[in-house]
Amino acid sequence: MGAEVLNISPFVVWVIALSQLLTFGLTVWNLMASGSRTNAKSIEQNRIRIDSHEARLSSVEQTLTGMPGREDVHKMQLSITELGGYLREMRAEMKGTSEIIKRIEFSVDRHESHLLDGAKR
C-alpha cells in the first residue's frame, strides 16, 4: 500500500462555487422580500389608522343619533309659538287683573281715608 495523496482541490472549487451561489441567492431573496416587509409595515399602519377612524366615526354616529332631527326641531318651534300665544293671553289677563287691583286699592284708600278722617271729627 502506497501512500496516496488526496487531492481536494476539485472539491474546494465546488464548495467555493456553492458558497458564492448561496450568497447570491440570499442577496436576491433579501432584495425581493424587503419590498414585501415594507408593504406589510405600511399595511399594518394603515390598519391601525382605519381602526382609529372607525372608532371615531362610530362615536360621531352615536352622537348624531342622539341629536334632535328636523321633525323634532319643527315640533319645538310649534311649541315655542304656542307658548308665545299663552304668554300673550296671560299678559292680557294680568293687565285686566292689574286694573281690578288698582280699583280695589283706590276703594280701600278711600275707606281708609274716610275711617281716619271720621275719627278726627
Side-chain angles (χ1 to χ4, degrees), residues 4-110:
E4 293 182 22
V5 177
L6 183 58
N7 188 8
I8 60 167
S9 54
F11 180 68
V12 170
V13 170
W14 279 103
V15 169
I16 291 173
L18 285 175
S19 173
Q20 291 297 320
L21 283 174
L22 183 61
T23 303
F24 179 72
L26 286 174
T27 303
V28 170
W29 173 261
N30 283 333
L31 287 174
M32 299 293 274
S34 68
S36 171
R37 278 187 233 122
T38 304
N39 287 342
K41 279 184 187 177
S42 177
I43 288 172
E44 181 63 23
Q45 289 172 349
N46 287 337
R47 186 188 63 76
I48 291 170
R49 278 184 64 203
I50 287 173
D51 287 346
S52 70
H53 287 307
E54 182 179 351
R56 288 176 54 205
L57 183 62
S58 174
S59 170
V60 168
E61 285 175 344
Q62 193 167 15
T63 302
L64 286 177
T65 18
M67 293 182 81
R70 186 174 150 224
E71 293 174 1
D72 298 327
V73 171
H74 183 66
K75 286 179 185 177
M76 285 190 291
Q77 287 174 334
L78 292 176
S79 297
I80 290 171
T81 304
E82 188 176 341
L83 283 174
Y86 289 145
L87 286 175
R88 277 192 289 284
E89 288 178 22
M90 286 178 59
R91 188 180 307 143
E93 287 181 22
M94 292 297 288
K95 189 175 181 182
T97 306
S98 174
E99 293 295 324
I100 291 172
I101 289 175
K102 283 180 187 175
R103 284 187 296 217
I104 292 174
E105 284 178 350
F106 181 72
S107 176
V108 167
D109 282 343
R110 282 181 54 201

